[in-house]
Amino acid sequence: MFGIGTWEVLCILLFALMFYGPEQLPAIARKVAYIFKHFKKMTHEVKTVVQKEFAQIERETQLKEMKQQIEDMRSESTQMLDEVKSEVDSVKNSVSYSDQGNQDVKKEET
């Protein structure tokens, strides 16, 4: 508890007893306990809020990374599609050239 050992707590209690007397000591102990209880509650609330905020930041970071990955995949797929279209066009052209060559040969034969 705040780095205070047993002897330190006993010394504090002894000084409080001598300074305030036995009549006021129970009321003071209740006030101190109340203060510590609320302090603990507030620190727990702060800790919870900070953890939630860090979790939100982490989710946002992961979302940004996922969006970037999706965009990269979209770009790669578009590039691949363009390459496939180019290959298909070149095959069509080579087929049409070979068809023209075959037609020219047939014309010459007749």
Side-chain angles (χ1 to χ4, degrees):
M1 179 173 102
F2 302 113
I4 298 176
T6 306
W7 289 107
E8 288 88 359
V9 171
L10 289 176
C11 288
I12 291 170
L13 288 175
L14 181 63
F15 285 125
L17 181 62
M18 290 186 325
F19 188 71
Y20 290 108
E23 297 85 23
Q24 293 179 345
L25 201 56
I28 292 172
R30 281 191 293 274
K31 287 180 184 178
V32 168
Y34 178 80
I35 290 170
F36 275 110
K37 178 181 174 184
H38 282 284
F39 179 75
K40 186 176 179 180
K41 182 181 176 183
M42 288 189 323
T43 56
H44 178 70
E45 288 175 4
V46 168
K47 181 180 175 183
T48 303
V49 168
V50 168
Q51 286 176 340
K52 285 180 181 179
E53 289 298 319
F54 277 122
Q56 179 67 25
I57 290 170
E58 185 175 344
R59 283 191 299 269
E60 289 173 359
T61 303
Q62 288 174 346
L63 182 62
K64 285 179 184 177
E65 289 173 358
M66 283 188 218
K67 285 181 179 180
Q68 183 61 40
Q69 288 175 352
I70 289 170
E71 189 60 36
D72 292 344
M73 288 170 40
R74 181 178 293 146
S75 172
E76 289 175 12
S77 65
T78 303
Q79 183 180 4
M80 287 179 165
L81 183 62
D82 290 342
E83 289 174 4
V84 168
K85 284 180 180 179
S86 165
E87 288 295 321
V88 167
D89 288 342
S90 69
V91 168
K92 282 182 181 179
N93 289 338
S94 66
V95 167
S96 69
Y97 287 138
S98 66
D99 284 345
Q100 285 178 356
N102 287 339
Q103 289 175 359
D104 289 342
V105 169
K106 288 181 182 178
K107 285 180 184 178
E108 290 177 5
E109 288 177 1
T110 55

